[in-house]
């Protein structure tokens, strides 16, 4: 028998249990279709495990384990937020295509400190539209990329010349110099030998280290150094802008001319756009080139076919004659190789989004305000989409359908504006490389996803010049 005095306690206990039951019932009703998964540690969630470096031509243990336990779409707690991770191609496409409607770009706050609040990748709405259309006008599509041809050719040729007599080359360094010099020339009309070029490149190096550092703004930390490096680059670009204004000359035919001629931009936006082009335009493409050096070194058959394609192009040209847009259109296998390098190597592993409202997709619910991460690497290595996904097989691109099963340049309103340029640069660089050199990777080196791709010691390679035989010169 319950004593009368204990009745209030029993009642309170009973009511508490009913309340707990109701909360659990309604909460789980509202989130019935929340993808499975776990939230990990308080605050940190599963961020450290998610960011654990792995071979960039694999999906890594975290995704492997989570996908096999919870499926291609799962919940987690990453970068300080409740998160839906998507390794499902259809959902990824849905996310990218619904930018600003159901989802919005949402990069970690620490990146705002490094990139600056006007960076194209961080802004949204009308400011994004305005800056993006300017960027597209300068680097997107055939009309713009054709303007890059002479600089790409001369930089490729001088790179090959500079390797003469070298037995070994630290490739990532060389590739970054190549892509950065190109962007400096097109953006600011500044040549590779000018002191300011080396100084900004050095600052970008520091800047990149800050991307994966803890966002602690104390002197000595990588994050602090990166923010300071950005400030230095910004003030250098501001100085160049002021110089142009003083001299009142806008006939360089470079991006800065275009940007200065637009009256609807603030100076902060002008500097930020130049910074975006310099940064976006050099790191990613240099990584792609390094990945191709790596994959081709392990695929003699693909390298042979690539060489044959470029020998055939040379056959129809005079000695020393520069490549043209028509030649580029003949580089079909080269593009297969580039696409396969992007698919296998994964220059950009995933992008950051957030959901703007409760969204239902297939059987899943994505609650409003959650972080959403479309993971491209997982799609690129999905055996349901790609046969033997771990094989470097450029011939898979002969099938047009392969193109619909990848997203290395993102998509929707944020599709990379530099995609065409990156392909063109890489194709011309490959032309000169395969006709002039053979190479071997030094040691047991492979690309690692940090998640941005890096090689041990910046990928040292052994070089051997190809002595042009009669067959090659034709
Ligand atoms: C292999 C080379 C490249 C890869 C793999 C790549 C990849 C990407 C991806 C995945 C995005 C989408 C980011 C998102 O949705 O959040 C992006 C955006 C962007 N990329 Fe690239 N990119 C490459 C080359 C370039 C080049 C050469 C430039 C400039 C010259 C460039 C400039 C940009 C800019 C400015 C954005 C932001 C676009 C926006 O938010 O509207 N990229 N890139």
């Amino acid at each position: 028998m319950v004593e009368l005095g204990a009745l209030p306690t029993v009642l309170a206990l009973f009511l508490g249990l009913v309340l707990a039951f109701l909360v659990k019932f309604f909460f789980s009703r509202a989130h019935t279709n929340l993808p499975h998964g776990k939230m990990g540690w308080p605050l940190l969630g599963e961020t450290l495990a998610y960011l654990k470096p792995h071979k960039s031509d694999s999906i890594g243990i975290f995704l492997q384990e989570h996908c096999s336990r919870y499926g291609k779409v799962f919940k987690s707690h990453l970068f300080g937020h409740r998160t839906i991770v998507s390794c499902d191609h259809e959902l990824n496409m849905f996310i990218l295509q619904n930018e600003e409607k159901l989802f919005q770009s949402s990069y970690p706050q620490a990146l705002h400190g490094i990139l600056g609040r006007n960076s194209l990748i961080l802004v949204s709405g009308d400011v994004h539209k305005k800056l993006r259309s300017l960027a597209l006008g300068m680097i997107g599509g055939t009309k713009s990329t054709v303007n890059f041809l002479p600089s790409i050719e001369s930089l490729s040729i001088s790179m090959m010349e500079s390797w003469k007599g070298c037995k070994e080359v630290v490739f990532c360094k060389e590739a970054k110099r190549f892509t950065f010099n190109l962007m400096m020339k097109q953006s600011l009309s500044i040549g590779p030998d000018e002191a300011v070029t080396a100084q900004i490149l050095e600052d970008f190096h520091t800047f990149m280290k800050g991307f994966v550092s803890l966002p602690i703004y104390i002197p000595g930390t990588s994050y602090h150094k990166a923010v300071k490096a950005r400030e230095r680059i910004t003030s250098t670009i501001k100085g160049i802008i002021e110089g142009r204004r003083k001299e009142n000359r806008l006939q360089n035919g470079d991006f800065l001319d275009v940007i200065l001629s637009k009256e609807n931009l603030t100076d902060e936006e002008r500097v930020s756009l130049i910074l975006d082009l310099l940064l976006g335009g050099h790191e990613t493409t240099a990584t792609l080139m390094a990945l191709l050096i790596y994959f081709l070194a392990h695929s003699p058959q693909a390298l042979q076919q690539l060489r044959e394609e470029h020998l055939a192009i040379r056959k129809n040209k005079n000695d020393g004659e520069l490549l043209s847009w028509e030649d580029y259109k003949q580089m079909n296998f080269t593009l297969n190789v580039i696409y396969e390098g992007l698919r296998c190597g994964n220059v950009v592993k995933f992008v950051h989004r957030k959901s703007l409202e409760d969204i239902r997709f297939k059987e899943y619910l994505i609650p409003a305000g959650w972080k959403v991460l479309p993971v491209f690497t997982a799609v690129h290595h999905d055996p349901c989409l790609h046969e033997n996904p771990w094989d470097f097989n450029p011939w898979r691109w002969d099938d047009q359908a392969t193109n619909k099963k990848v997203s290395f340049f993102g998509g929707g309103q944020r599709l990379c504006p530099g995609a065409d340029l990156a392909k063109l640069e890489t194709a011309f660089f490959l032309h000169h490389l395969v006709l002039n050199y053979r190479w071997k990777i030094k040691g047991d080196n492979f690309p690692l996803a940090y998640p941005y791709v890096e090689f041990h010691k910046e990928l040292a390679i052994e070089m051997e010049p190809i002595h042009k035989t009669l067959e090659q010169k034709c």
Side-chain angles (χ1 to χ4, degrees):
M1 281 288 285
V2 181
E3 282 188 31
L4 220 58
L7 206 58
T9 321
V10 174
L11 253 174
L13 249 171
F14 176 70
L15 280 176
L17 277 173
V18 170
L19 199 68
F21 173 76
L22 286 177
V23 166
K24 189 169 183 343
F25 178 74
F26 281 111
F27 186 81
S28 57
R29 288 274 297 183
H31 291 94
T32 314
N33 294 330
L34 200 58
H36 296 298
K38 63 175 185 211
M39 295 314 221
W41 297 92
L43 289 175
L44 266 181
E46 298 190 286
T47 313
L48 294 183
Y50 180 77
L51 289 178
K52 193 165 179 228
H54 58 87
K55 281 185 165 182
S56 87
D57 53 349
S58 76
I59 64 172
I61 287 179
F62 178 89
L63 290 178
Q64 228 170 10
E65 283 180 358
H66 280 63
C67 286
S68 64
R69 192 174 300 163
Y70 307 120
K72 285 184 191 173
V73 180
F74 57 89
K75 71 173 180 204
S76 181
H77 198 276
L78 299 169
F79 306 99
H81 297 271
R82 289 178 297 175
T83 304
I84 302 294
V85 179
S86 166
C87 299
D88 178 290
H89 186 48
E90 255 184 86
L91 178 53
N92 287 1
M93 286 293 123
F94 178 75
I95 296 166
L96 296 174
Q97 299 299 338
N98 281 289
E99 175 76 13
E100 304 267 356
K101 290 180 219 140
L102 302 173
F103 301 91
Q104 198 174 53
S105 168
S106 174
Y107 281 84
Q109 204 54 37
L111 276 194
H112 294 237
I114 300 183
L115 291 173
R117 63 193 174 95
N118 286 307
S119 173
L120 201 49
I121 212 162
L122 304 178
V123 291
S124 47
D126 288 343
V127 180
H128 176 248
K129 273 198 198 112
K130 177 177 76 172
L131 297 179
R132 182 177 169 82
S133 83
L134 248 174
L136 273 171
M138 291 184 286
I139 56 172
T142 311
K143 218 172 126 215
S144 312
T145 37
V146 156
N147 297 330
F148 281 79
L149 287 186
S151 302
I152 295 177
E153 271 282 82
S154 74
L155 282 168
S156 305
I157 293 166
S158 69
M159 187 167 172
M160 299 303 135
E161 292 281 319
S162 74
W163 290 349
K164 268 189 185 158
C166 293
K167 290 220 160 63
E168 190 184 315
V169 160
V170 179
F171 187 76
C172 292
K173 237 184 192 165
E174 295 290 303
K176 277 181 208 163
R177 227 160 30 90
F178 173 89
T179 53
F180 186 69
N181 287 342
L182 178 69
M183 290 317 293
M184 282 293 279
K185 183 94 188 57
Q186 298 295 127
S187 308
L188 302 168
S189 299
I190 296 181
D193 299 326
E194 295 186 43
V196 68
T197 305
Q199 179 210 320
I200 300 184
L201 185 57
E202 180 64 36
D203 277 334
F204 265 123
H205 194 64
T206 315
F207 185 80
M208 280 311 291
K209 283 189 186 156
F211 266 82
V212 281
S213 61
L214 287 176
I216 304 168
Y217 193 69
I218 298 174
T221 61
S222 298
Y223 184 70
H224 184 269
K225 285 182 191 162
V227 174
K228 291 287 160 203
R230 184 192 187 273
E231 283 172 13
R232 280 195 300 276
I233 301 170
T234 301
S235 88
T236 309
I237 297 173
K238 270 189 180 151
I240 296 169
I241 290 181
E242 274 154 27
R244 282 243 178 129
R245 279 199 180 121
K246 253 188 216 148
E247 291 168 26
N248 201 14
R249 62 181 161 89
L250 288 185
Q251 286 114 24
N252 299 276
D254 58 16
F255 297 160
L256 189 54
D257 275 0
V258 178
I259 290 171
L260 284 174
S261 71
K262 304 284 169 193
E263 283 170 6
N264 62 343
L265 292 177
T266 63
D267 261 5
E268 231 183 282
E269 287 170 343
R270 291 191 172 99
V271 172
S272 188
L273 200 48
I274 292 284
L275 221 120
D276 278 344
L277 296 176
L278 290 180
L279 178 68
H282 95 274
E283 278 286 337
T284 45
T285 314
T287 303
L288 170 61
M289 289 175 177
L291 286 166
L292 291 174
I293 285 280
Y294 171 80
F295 288 122
L296 286 169
H298 294 93
S299 314
Q301 213 186 331
L303 180 57
Q304 178 60 27
Q305 187 164 334
L306 187 66
R307 206 165 258 146
E308 279 163 16
E309 179 164 277
H310 289 284
L311 280 169
I313 290 170
R314 269 288 137 210
K315 237 182 205 168
N316 300 319
K317 301 188 84 68
N318 297 322
D319 234 7
E321 191 183 334
L322 298 183
L323 289 172
S324 65
W325 191 258
E326 293 309 309
D327 296 322
Y328 181 50
K329 288 205 286 199
Q330 307 300 313
M331 299 184 188
N332 297 321
F333 187 69
T334 308
L335 279 178
N336 284 2
V337 166
I338 290 174
Y339 291 142
E340 188 63 352
L342 284 162
R343 189 192 68 80
C344 287
N346 300 294
V347 177
V348 177
K349 179 174 167 178
F350 65 96
V351 292
H352 290 261
R353 296 291 186 269
K354 73 174 174 204
S355 52
L356 297 174
E357 55 186 77
D358 272 1
I359 296 152
R360 290 191 181 274
F361 184 82
K362 292 188 192 167
E363 72 269 31
Y364 309 114
L365 168 77
I366 301 174
W370 281 42
K371 186 176 257 302
V372 181
L373 302 180
V375 183
F376 303 147
T377 304
V379 169
H380 297 162
H381 290 280
D382 186 341
C384 304
L385 296 173
H386 308 280
E387 205 182 322
N388 299 324
W390 293 278
D391 291 351
F392 180 81
N393 173 8
W395 296 275
R396 73 172 81 238
W397 293 88
D398 289 339
D399 177 0
Q400 303 275 312
T402 311
N403 215 356
K404 297 202 166 68
K405 298 184 258 179
V406 290
S407 39
F408 19 74
F409 290 115
Q413 287 184 27
R414 289 192 181 264
L415 178 72
C416 174
D420 289 335
L421 175 60
K423 288 187 280 180
L424 179 74
E425 271 179 81
T426 311
F428 276 35
F429 156 76
L430 283 175
H431 173 85
H432 292 284
L433 177 75
V434 299
L435 293 183
N436 286 290
Y437 288 97
R438 290 191 186 86
W439 67 95
K440 246 192 338 205
I441 310 288
K442 275 199 86 180
D444 182 23
N445 211 336
F446 44 79
L448 277 170
Y450 277 92
Y452 73 87
V453 179
E454 262 201 9
F455 284 88
H456 179 61
K457 291 196 176 161
E458 302 205 63
L459 188 63
I461 53 175
E462 285 171 20
M463 304 297 290
E464 187 196 335
I466 294 177
H467 299 292
K468 295 199 168 82
T469 60
L470 269 182
E471 177 221 357
Q472 284 163 351
K473 283 210 98 172
C474 294

